Amino acid sequence: MTDLSKLDSDLSAAIAAAGDAASLEAIRVSALGKSGSISDLLKSLGGMSPDERREVGPRINGLRDRVQGLISARKAELDAAELEARLTAERVDLSLPPPPRRRGSVHPTMQVMDEMIAVFAEMGFALAEGPDIETDFNNFTALNFPPKHPAREMHDTFWLPEDERGERKLLRTHTSPVQVRVMNRINEKLPSWIAQGQEPPIRIVVPGRTYRSDSDATHTPMFHQMEGLVIDKGIHMGHLKWTLDTFIARFFETPEVTTRFRPHHFPFTEPSAEMDVGCDRSGNEVKIGQGSDWLEILGCGMVHPNILRTCGLDPDVWQGFAFGFGVDRLGILKYGMPDLRDMFASDSRWLSHYGFSAFQAPNPATGLS
Ligand code: PHE
């Protein structure tokens, strides 16, 4: 069996000389693969006499084990050498700056809402909320909109399909239905994070989403409003005016703001007014607190006695005022953004430019970050 020892020394020499993983694998296949030299020898055992097999078998098996051992030892050597080569060739440059990481930011609408809530909270207002999907009763009827009154059309309402009871719900066109919910105490059926209805005195602000079928540079089909409602004894227009003047001065962080109240009409307030702020429109940006122009920013008025009656309150005992304004609108005014629609475009470049840090230092005027 000189064959065997020649094969042994040939294979050992070849394995020791293999310079990379591929040539080592070629040697393994030529010896131990399906029709490799050692595999063929193992197959030939079947044709031998028992005596022959007893003599040659262990030698062939020994050769196979030895060659297998040599191959894996050489493989380990080659792997180690390759790793060593890579470690010396590749170097991590620790002086390189890390790749930039995108940071999230607070959306301007949410920032502005928080600023507004902080100002009202300081004046003793609590927070109330209501659902976006409303009944015709809460959104219109209870607020003194007569049936078929053109004011209903004015709001360009998004109606939902009729439900099984023949009722058509709607996407609320303003936050005023929450006045009804709180005075009527229908909010008691809602989850606890929504303000519970309450007996007067009532002092609430209501931030929320509102919807009207309208879209241009100053109108979006979904926008945010903040409603205010105060119900107490002896409440008059003077309280309304002081509250709104104080809010505007604190929100715009300037005592210079001038305001004026113009008579207006809302079905749910009497008398009703629109409030304008003094501004300068000479540049391409509207500036608050300077100039001689006026900009309409909110609707307000004394709560109509019919609303109080509908909500079970005696207008001879309780009086109140209410107001409502567009949050996004006041936001673009305060932070000088040119187009209202950008607020809703979800353009990440715009958001990282105008967005606010969640970790900003508290504002000394409001205590809010
Ligand atoms: N709900 C009115 C609107 O959306 C605003 C308003 C609220 C007016 C409260 C008066 C009182 O236009």
Side-chain angles (χ1 to χ4, degrees):
M1 270 283 164
T2 48
D3 255 6
L4 272 188
S5 43
K6 171 139 176 32
L7 187 56
D8 190 342
S9 56
D10 284 356
L11 282 173
S12 304
I15 290 168
D20 56 43
S23 40
L24 188 61
E25 175 62 8
I27 297 167
R28 192 192 65 79
V29 172
S30 77
L32 303 167
K34 239 195 193 146
S35 42
S37 45
I38 298 180
S39 310
D40 282 348
L41 285 170
L42 285 165
K43 275 180 229 151
S44 72
L45 286 173
M48 293 179 188
S49 70
D51 285 347
E52 241 180 326
R53 199 182 302 145
R54 208 171 301 123
E55 202 244 304
V56 187
R59 290 185 55 201
I60 303 177
N61 282 323
L63 173 63
R64 182 198 54 199
D65 294 347
R66 218 172 89 73
V67 168
Q68 256 165 1
L70 285 174
I71 289 177
S72 29
R74 182 66 188 145
K75 173 125 181 44
E77 270 171 32
L78 287 173
D79 285 352
E82 191 195 313
L83 180 63
E84 190 56 35
R86 276 186 53 194
L87 284 176
T88 36
E90 294 173 14
R91 249 173 230 288
V92 179
D93 184 351
L94 293 177
S95 68
L96 281 176
R101 254 236 231 142
R102 286 273 216 78
R103 270 238 209 131
S105 59
V106 176
H107 191 283
T109 297
M110 294 302 131
Q111 167 78 18
V112 160
M113 243 184 205
D114 283 351
E115 290 174 12
M116 291 168 171
I117 292 168
V119 173
F120 283 117
E122 259 198 338
M123 290 196 257
F125 282 77
L127 209 55
E129 293 192 82
D132 293 10
I133 296 178
E134 261 301 359
T135 57
D136 176 86
F137 181 80
N138 289 340
N139 195 84
F140 290 128
T141 310
L143 291 168
N144 212 24
F145 286 79
K148 308 228 155 52
H149 190 274
R152 289 183 190 234
E153 315 306 310
M154 249 163 56
H155 276 201
D156 294 316
T157 313
F158 286 113
W159 291 94
L160 272 68
E162 239 174 52
D163 65 16
E164 57 291 346
R165 280 169 298 157
E167 192 192 350
R168 286 189 82 190
K169 293 228 171 80
L170 49 85
L171 293 179
R172 64 177 176 191
T173 58
H174 51 175
T175 40
S176 304
V178 185
Q179 291 188 28
V180 179
R181 287 181 171 270
V182 171
M183 286 190 276
N184 249 344
R185 286 181 278 149
I186 26 188
N187 267 356
E188 278 163 24
K189 299 191 201 77
L190 293 167
S192 59
W193 55 266
I194 295 177
Q196 306 288 303
Q198 62 177 96
E199 302 283 342
I202 295 171
R203 263 194 295 269
I204 51 159
V205 281
V206 183
R209 283 182 287 269
T210 47
Y211 306 82
R212 290 182 204 177
S213 178
D214 211 351
S215 182
D216 59 38
T218 53
H219 297 89
T220 51
M222 190 280 279
F223 56 107
H224 298 84
Q225 276 197 344
M226 192 168 296
E227 187 86 6
L229 175 70
V230 170
I231 304 283
D232 207 336
K233 291 178 178 158
I235 294 292
H236 52 71
M237 281 290 275
H239 296 118
L240 165 61
K241 186 170 184 304
W242 178 84
T243 303
L244 291 176
D245 281 350
T246 306
F247 164 68
I248 291 300
R250 293 196 189 162
F251 175 69
F252 285 106
E253 295 171 39
T254 158
E256 308 302 317
V257 192
T258 46
T259 59
R260 77 174 179 191
F261 289 76
R262 269 182 299 103
H264 196 71
H265 171 76
F266 296 106
F268 38 95
T269 45
E270 182 59 36
S272 301
E274 274 187 337
M275 184 172 128
D276 299 340
V277 285
C279 65
D280 173 43
R281 296 179 203 245
S282 52
N284 43 7
E285 205 183 278
V286 183
K287 293 213 174 75
I288 300 293
Q290 41 187 290
S292 53
D293 269 335
W294 295 101
L295 182 74
E296 178 242 307
I297 56 161
L298 59 82
C300 59
M302 300 306 293
V303 178
H304 196 294
N306 283 356
I307 302 353
L308 296 170
R309 268 185 226 110
T310 305
C311 296
L313 299 176
D314 181 353
D316 291 330
V317 179
W318 302 106
Q319 298 77 43
F321 65 81
F323 55 86
F325 53 83
V327 172
D328 318 284
R329 260 240 206 145
L330 284 191
I332 63 172
L333 279 178
K334 178 168 176 179
Y335 291 107
M337 298 151 181
D339 191 326
L340 187 69
R341 286 168 297 192
D342 290 336
M343 285 281 205
F344 305 95
S346 301
D347 182 333
S348 56
R349 292 162 306 174
W350 185 88
L351 287 170
S352 56
H353 180 73
Y354 283 110
F356 291 82
S357 163
F359 304 106
Q360 197 173 292
N363 174 334
T366 58
L368 191 94
S369 56

